[in-house]
Amino acid sequence: MQVEDETIPTQLIENRTPVERAILVGAPTREVSQRTAEEHLEELARLAETAGGEVIAVIRQRIDAPNARFFIGEGKARELRNLLNTTEANLVIFDDELSPAQGKNLEDLLGVRVMDRPELILDIFATRARTREAKMQVELAQLEYLLPRLRRMWSHLSRIRGGIGLRGPGETQLETDRRLIGTRISDLKKKLREVARARAVQRKGREGEFRAALVGYTNAGKSSLLRALSGADLFVGDRLFATLDSATRTVDVGSGHQALLTDTVGFIRKLPHHLIASFRSTLEEAREADLLLHVIDASEPDWEEHREVVQEVLADLDLTHRPQLLVFNKTDRITHEEEATLRARIRALENTPAVFVSALREESLIRVRDALKARIRSGLKEIRVSLPAGDGETLAALYREGEVLARRGNGTKVEVDVRLPAAFLGRLLGRDGIEILERV
Ligand code: GDP
Ligand code: MG
């Protein structure tokens, strides 16, 4: 195969142009409740549509454990083949991750392309990535997914490109491709490490500022909240994974305080672990945050399962130790009674503090601002400081860096009661003529 270095991966995994008619397959184990099983399939259908596919049928089977050859039972697999023969479907999507062997066996049996949920998510991510970093992260995840499945992908490709004298790749060609992909993977990892280092430097420059990160299930309203809180123009979409690139904005929380708020990629159940791994550096923002705002769609009946999925991903990223504030969003879509039920449920659940808001109702956002302000203040030292009356520079710094509570002057001296970040307090002590009168 003659392709240039930069284009190898994207060409190998290009699969979104044709309109695909898909059959979905859900094969949960017996412990999964009926409602949850259906919810998962509905979400898979949404994902398939997001990727440009059309769902024409859904097949279900309860399994004790995945079948080693086909994931579903062999009889069910043949039923699927019959269904394919009587419909126009040209794609089968499994809700669960298939092993490379299962994928290959199924394609051999069915004669159409077979995908699983992780691959579908990767495909959507590929069309959403905007920044160079996000593109590299998605490409890396795709290549790592692809590598053990190369043989299958190749036969799929050679079917598409049948006309150009490709009669199916020989072993040599496969080996060459494996090597090329291997090289590309280490290349991408190296570049991503460089980006991560640059990010770390950038973060260092923001030390001392209060930082919060928005995390949550996809479509919960994270970007909407960041936009509403900061007034920034950010992309919001009623579709899965509208945002892939993390954005950081300054949010005014009142009383002269500000917080840096970062939007992150949304989570979803069965998120491919390659993807989590490759998005690690984007999520570093969350790791160093003083507070995680865990956004939950209050109008979503399955919010508890969504919340668990988010917690699992956070655990995967080693982020569960960060303080959290639950932000129940979209309260404009629920009744007061439903909100009361929710509140009772949360109290019963645990001690994580929670606020109820709607990104569409500016006045409700004061609850988020207040919660942020309270956190910022709890990290502040309240002091009474005395400074020379002429020291306008220090006085301005106090207003800028802290929260001035009271100010008195007696001609030569000014006394200020102020809440200050500990780091700034240290710097203040070094100035001429400054006296700390009282620590509260
Ligand atoms: P993200 O994936 O978490 O970033 O979610 P988005 O901010 O992109 O929002 C997903 C969808 O929910 C969009 O259609 C938003 O307009 C909608 N949305 C977000 N917040 C609210 C809200 O408070 N109320 C209502 N009714 N819709 C909202
Ligand atoms: Mg978003």
Side-chain angles (χ1 to χ4, degrees), residues 247-411:
T248 301
R249 299 286 180 273
T250 304
V251 173
D252 229 311
V253 301
S255 313
H257 293 302
Q258 294 184 332
L260 285 176
L261 190 53
T262 299
D263 192 10
T264 64
V265 55
F267 301 159
I268 194 165
R269 50 176 90 85
K270 301 172 193 167
L271 197 62
H273 55 262
H274 295 135
L275 208 54
I276 299 178
S278 61
F279 270 83
R280 214 166 248 280
S281 70
T282 311
L283 293 160
E284 283 294 314
E285 300 283 338
R287 185 182 312 278
E288 302 204 350
D290 299 295
L291 178 68
L292 297 181
L293 299 181
H294 181 163
V295 182
I296 296 173
D297 180 347
S299 68
E300 167 59 58
D302 274 307
W303 69 268
E304 288 193 50
E305 200 209 340
H306 287 189
R307 181 181 150 275
E308 275 162 29
V309 169
V310 172
Q311 293 294 37
E312 279 163 26
V313 181
L314 289 177
D316 230 17
L317 292 162
D318 233 1
L319 284 175
T320 28
H321 61 285
R322 308 305 305 158
Q324 257 189 43
L325 173 71
L326 299 180
V327 179
F328 283 85
N329 186 36
K330 307 198 191 181
T331 51
D332 58 285
R333 291 171 63 175
I334 60 172
T335 63
H336 286 298
E337 290 73 40
E338 284 168 330
E339 188 175 320
T341 315
L342 260 180
R343 282 179 192 274
R345 177 83 190 121
I346 297 154
R347 269 196 300 276
L349 260 181
E350 58 192 306
N351 298 323
T352 313
V355 292
F356 286 74
V357 301
S358 162
L360 308 183
R361 292 180 181 157
E362 170 62 33
E363 74 281 2
S364 74
L365 298 179
I366 187 80
R367 295 171 199 144
V368 179
R369 291 186 215 275
D370 281 350
L372 287 169
K373 188 162 68 185
R375 299 280 171 153
I376 295 172
R377 278 182 169 163
S378 71
L380 299 182
K381 304 267 176 275
E382 197 170 312
I383 57 164
R384 177 166 295 168
V385 55
S386 155
L387 53 141
D391 191 354
E393 196 194 317
T394 301
L395 191 61
L398 290 178
Y399 276 95
R400 193 177 59 240
E401 303 286 335
E403 182 184 346
V404 174
L405 305 171
R407 172 180 163 187
R408 290 167 298 272
N410 67 0

Side-chain angles (χ1 to χ4, degrees), residues 227-260:
R227 189 166 69 167
L229 283 162
S230 68
D233 191 15
L234 291 161
F235 185 75
V236 170
D238 190 12
R239 49 184 205 180
L240 305 173
F241 305 116
T243 331
L244 278 196
D245 308 301
S246 70
T248 301
R249 299 286 180 273
T250 304
V251 173
D252 229 311
V253 301
S255 313
H257 293 302
Q258 294 184 332
L260 285 176

Side-chain angles (χ1 to χ4, degrees), residues 144-198:
E144 289 189 325
Y145 179 89
L146 176 67
L147 204 50
R149 294 169 175 83
L150 205 50
R151 187 181 301 271
R152 170 155 73 93
M153 299 293 180
W154 243 115
S155 55
H156 170 64
L157 267 180
S158 52
R159 268 206 292 280
I160 293 177
R161 301 200 188 150
I164 46 169
L166 255 172
R167 268 179 298 150
E171 287 301 309
T172 354
Q173 188 59 63
L174 259 177
E175 274 319 305
T176 313
D177 286 352
R178 272 203 190 104
R179 250 198 337 272
L180 280 173
I181 292 175
T183 313
R184 179 73 181 159
I185 285 178
S186 40
D187 221 43
L188 283 167
K189 282 186 172 162
K190 191 165 147 255
K191 284 188 188 143
L192 281 168
R193 273 197 300 273
E194 283 161 18
V195 181
R197 265 197 297 275

